[in-house]
Amino acid sequence: MVLGVGFGVVLLLFSSLIRTRPAEMGLTAYGTEEAGNETKASAAGAAVSLRSVLASRPVWLLTGCHHLGCAGHAVILAHGVSMATHHGIPGLQAAGVLSTIAGVSIVSRFTFSLLTERFGGRTILSLSIFGQSASILMLLFATEAWHFYVFAVIFGVCYGGEMVGFPIINRQMFGPKAPLSSIFSFEMIGASTGMALGGWIGGVLFDHSGNYTSAILVAAGIGFLALPLALWLPRHKRRVAASAPVASTA
């Protein structure tokens, strides 16, 4: 309660520092073209409506990826400590597994954002989903503390990479004039329902079987279901004119 209320107050205070637009701080929006002809093309381009975006395939593929990816890793985030203690790992060491996942994911969130910008959303998202799902299978053979910590490092890298790229992918797919905040809100519906499903299904499977084997297999399987959705996304174009978003041809 103390930690929850305390950090809630901190978040509330920091939220007052958030600005709506870079122009409010005298800055130029990231991704804005500075060349004269590109600026003119951007100004002349029509804004992309939310209706047209929702009528295209990529936004639903991304929502599905977010739902399935979150459902898969929610099993681990909600039950990872219990999986370790179930094998006799002391409580403090077991809690360290979850802390390791969170700590490693901090690094990958920064790194995979840069990689997504450089190589495109489909490539990096697909690699992250595959790595996240495949690493979960390591838990089938984990019996000692160091097994769980090795898993935590590999899983944490891919988990952070899978989560972080969606805002960048949206800009790449739909263009800077699309309603990016609204698009991301739809994708977050997929993410939040996936997190709720994963946490619940992991507990149900453990209660039914008395062990986490089935939960591990289901978590990996759900994650792998997101892989074909990610691969179905359009290829990333290195430089796309603002007046011609990728979604229009998808």
Side-chain angles (χ1 to χ4, degrees), residues 16-206:
S16 65
L17 303 178
I18 295 176
R19 299 294 179 262
T20 302
R21 297 176 179 83
E24 296 178 15
M25 301 180 65
L27 301 174
T28 302
Y30 177 67
T32 301
E33 302 293 346
E34 295 181 355
N37 58 341
E38 294 179 340
T39 302
K40 293 178 181 179
S42 175
V48 180
S49 68
L50 180 61
R51 182 185 296 272
S52 64
V53 170
L54 296 179
S56 65
R57 185 178 66 204
V59 68
W60 299 110
L61 293 176
L62 289 167
T63 301
C65 287
H66 225 350
H67 174 77
L68 295 170
C70 286
H73 65 234
V75 176
I76 307 304
L77 298 179
H79 300 278
V81 176
S82 297
M83 290 177 184
T85 56
H86 188 69
H87 286 282
I89 309 301
L92 187 59
Q93 292 185 31
V97 174
L98 186 60
S99 298
T100 301
I101 292 174
V104 171
S105 72
I106 293 174
V107 178
S108 62
R109 288 171 194 268
F110 282 100
T111 304
F112 278 65
S113 295
L114 299 176
L115 294 175
T116 299
E117 187 70 51
R118 176 67 176 83
F119 297 105
R122 186 176 78 160
T123 300
I124 303 304
L125 181 60
S126 299
L127 291 173
S128 299
I129 290 173
F130 176 81
Q132 174 185 278
S133 304
S135 64
I136 292 175
L137 297 175
M138 296 172 61
L139 291 172
L140 294 173
F141 311 100
T143 57
E144 300 182 23
W146 71 270
H147 297 162
F148 285 94
Y149 277 90
V150 170
F151 156 77
V153 172
I154 299 173
F155 177 83
V157 169
C158 300
Y159 155 67
E162 185 267 327
M163 290 284 291
V164 77
F166 286 89
I168 301 173
I169 296 171
N170 290 336
R171 179 173 53 81
Q172 292 174 345
M173 293 289 175
F174 308 111
K177 291 201 170 185
L180 299 178
S181 298
S182 298
I183 294 169
F184 189 60
S185 297
F186 274 90
E187 294 165 358
M188 284 304 296
I189 293 174
S192 58
T193 54
M195 294 296 289
L197 175 63
W200 172 78
I201 200 171
V204 169
L205 292 173
F206 178 81

